[in-house]
Amino acid sequence: MAETTSDKLSSAFMTEFLRNAGGTAIIDGGLATELERQGADLNDPLWSATCLLTSPHLIHKVHMDYLEAGADIIITASYQATIQGFESKGLSTDEGESLLRKSVEIACSARDNYYDRCNTSIPVETPDGKIFKKRQILVAASVGSYGAYLADGSEYSGNYGDSITLEALKEFHRRRVKVLAESGADLIAFETIPNKLEAKAYAELLEEENISVPAWFAFNSKDGIHVVSGDSYSECVSIAESCRNIVAVGINCTPPRFIHGLISSIKKVSTKPIVIYPNSGESYDADLKEWVQNTGVSDDDFVSYVNKWCEVGASLVGGCCRTTPDTIRAIYRTLSKREENHSL
């Protein structure tokens, strides 16, 4: 298939952004666990999206914490925000759509506030470790899977049952994706994609609705070979490779130990930039709806992986569940050292 003008614009967008970032860009870390640390109660089917209703100021604060830790991309609090989910709480369709837009507005506001602080801050890094470096920052509108809406842990299994078809998934996501695409976000982050069917639904939806906003696909895996449903990881990545809107493809919410091999799998079937933001490696108990303590890796171990991931091809790196601003700050520092070493 010949490359169209829009294809070139999409690929140029990410190429230019990565060039401005020095070759590697930093994504933020876990949102929900940070909101809980700030005092938010997320025991709700909407999970982190409940804060759009109850405590948007906490979302703003977490975005700021990640920007001050060195993140170049902040991801909105819309992962589990769906029109259907809001309607189940008694909200109207218009109110649900307004909350989707609000997730982007909060992130954009945090970026503006951060830029203001950069303009008034003299040191690039303060004694308490806050980074005030004026740079291009992207707001990525998060789209979680159908399984995330179900809030039953099925985004970690990819098992939606035989009744969920390609068309059903497209219709579930259609209006939400359109609203987020028109919200002012710089890109759309399709996250924790658990199966090939949903990846195909996203790709077809982007084409059918002629969405012009760039996007990335991030799949999750529990064995380093397949996505969590058991579908071939390489086949899933191939869907992203053939989609003109997709400017990066990779992995999120996956234990760090599997990432190196998965990057190799991506490179065999895709030429797009590789996005990597694993979880801390901790195990999640879907029945208890909580993380199993002491099953993950330390920040030091997590960051030690980052250089290796970049060496084998990762261009965008960050963290997912249970990673913190401290994790992202450590990534910022290790990548800064890496750039200094390469420039010597």
Side-chain angles (χ1 to χ4, degrees):
M1 185 186 295
E3 188 176 51
T4 65
T5 301
S6 59
D7 291 340
K8 292 176 182 176
L9 288 174
S10 291
S11 59
F13 163 84
M14 184 54 72
T15 301
E16 183 66 17
F17 172 68
L18 289 171
R19 183 183 299 120
N20 292 339
T24 308
I26 302 172
I27 306 166
D28 62 9
L31 176 66
T33 42
E34 280 304 294
L35 289 170
E36 289 178 321
R37 200 166 66 86
Q38 299 291 341
D41 179 4
L42 304 187
N43 186 20
D44 188 283
L46 293 176
W47 198 41
S48 57
T50 194
C51 288
L52 293 169
L53 286 163
T54 62
S55 43
H57 63 288
L58 292 182
I59 300 172
H60 185 281
K61 184 179 188 312
V62 173
H63 286 325
M64 286 295 291
D65 287 345
Y66 279 119
L67 291 172
E68 291 174 357
D72 303 307
I73 301 173
I74 50 175
I75 301 176
T76 63
S78 52
Y79 174 80
Q80 212 141 313
T82 64
I83 296 168
Q84 298 90 334
F86 289 130
E87 288 175 341
S88 72
K89 304 285 283 187
L91 300 175
S92 68
T93 299
D94 286 347
E95 287 171 328
E97 291 182 4
S98 178
L99 286 167
L100 286 171
R101 295 186 192 97
K102 186 176 182 179
S103 71
V104 177
E105 290 164 3
I106 293 169
C108 289
S109 173
R111 176 173 60 184
D112 290 343
N113 290 162
Y114 178 76
Y115 282 153
D116 289 342
R117 292 191 188 180
C118 286
N119 290 333
T120 58
S121 180
I122 296 174
V124 170
E125 184 169 349
T126 63
D128 58 353
K130 292 182 178 180
I131 311 300
F132 291 103
K133 179 183 178 184
K134 193 72 178 283
R135 60 197 182 279
Q136 185 181 9
I137 293 166
L138 301 183
V139 169
S142 173
V143 173
S145 67
Y146 176 69
Y149 155 72
L150 295 176
D152 62 359
S154 59
E155 77 259 49
Y156 302 116
S157 72
N159 181 12
Y160 295 162
D162 295 338
S163 63
I164 300 302
T165 64
L166 178 68
E167 290 304 318
L169 286 173
K170 285 196 287 187
E171 289 314 305
F172 174 80
H173 288 294
R174 189 178 301 275
R175 184 60 191 155
R176 175 199 196 188
V177 170
K178 287 181 70 175
V179 169
L180 289 172
E182 296 166 359
S183 66
D186 299 296
L187 58 92
I188 301 173
F190 293 95
E191 303 186 279
T192 323
I193 306 172
N195 56 44
K196 188 164 66 171
L197 185 69
E198 197 150 25
K200 191 174 181 184
Y202 289 145
E204 291 189 9
L205 194 55
L206 291 170
E207 291 288 341
E208 289 171 9
E209 297 298 332
N210 199 28
I211 304 276
S212 59
V213 178
W216 76 49
F217 277 6
F219 300 90
N220 57 338
S221 172
K222 54 188 176 186
D223 65 2
I225 301 170
H226 307 90
V227 295
V228 292
S229 66
D231 291 335
S232 161
Y233 188 81
S234 296
E235 289 178 14
C236 289
V237 171
S238 294
I239 293 170
E241 178 66 11
S242 63
C243 185
R244 65 182 177 85
N245 274 71
I246 301 304
V247 295
V249 61
I251 309 141
N252 79 300
C253 212
T254 295
R257 66 183 181 276
F258 295 133
I259 300 301
H260 192 286
L262 288 166
I263 292 174
S264 298
S265 297
I266 295 170
K267 290 171 70 176
K268 290 175 182 176
V269 293
S270 177
T271 58
K272 296 180 187 289
I274 296 174
V275 53
I276 301 295
Y277 51 120
N279 57 37
S280 65
E282 291 174 77
S283 302
Y284 183 73
D285 188 316
D287 294 326
L288 296 176
K289 295 188 183 303
E290 63 183 33
W291 294 90
V292 181
Q293 295 296 316
N294 303 317
T295 55
V297 300
S298 68
D299 278 351
D300 286 345
D301 288 340
F302 190 98
V303 171
S304 74
Y305 283 120
V306 169
N307 276 323
K308 296 171 185 175
W309 298 334
C310 291
E311 285 169 7
V312 295
S315 298
L316 302 105
V317 293
C320 196
C321 299
R322 308 290 283 180
T323 60
T324 70
D326 286 341
T327 316
I328 301 309
R329 185 174 292 106
I331 292 174
Y332 172 84
R333 286 175 175 156
T334 196
L335 290 182
S336 295
K337 290 177 183 175
R338 191 168 178 266
E339 288 176 20
E340 288 171 7
N341 291 337
H342 284 184
S343 63
L344 292 178

